[in-house]
Amino acid sequence: MKTSAKLLFTAIALVLAAAGTLAIVTEVHTSSTRYQGVVTVFGSDAVWVGQTVVLLAALPLLVWLPPRWVGWAGAVWWLVLMAWIFGPLI
């Protein structure tokens, strides 16, 4: 993959990380959903969404890893994401 494409993925990760950090700091997160339209969450729900978005921001950074590590890193990222989302239900 070319460096320009890697930098594009890094920019995407930075935007996601900034949005997640903003939600954590301000404890407000507004997003658009398919069936409910614009939804705003406050307090601990907004912090949880912000932390989830920061976790999602790590995925585009996998382009910087050597190709032999991408599969393993993606699998570990997926397991961490699933534990983060579904862990509180257990």
Side-chain angles (χ1 to χ4, degrees), residues 48 81-90:
W48 185 85
L81 180 67
M82 293 301 106
W84 175 253
I85 292 173
F86 296 113
L89 299 176
I90 296 176

Side-chain angles (χ1 to χ4, degrees), residues 13-87:
L14 288 174
V15 169
L16 283 171
T21 303
L22 187 64
I24 293 168
V25 171
T26 63
E27 294 186 359
V28 177
H29 181 74
T30 302
S31 62
S32 178
T33 64
R34 187 174 191 172
Y35 298 109
Q36 295 178 352
V38 177
V39 177
T40 301
V41 292
F42 301 97
S44 62
D45 291 335
V47 171
W48 185 85
V49 170
Q51 291 168 341
T52 304
V53 171
V54 169
L55 182 59
L56 291 173
L59 183 62
L61 298 176
L62 292 181
V63 298
W64 291 101
L65 292 176
R68 66 180 183 275
W69 291 358
V70 172
W72 286 104
V76 168
W77 176 86
W78 179 257
L79 290 173
V80 169
L81 180 67
M82 293 301 106
W84 175 253
I85 292 173
F86 296 113

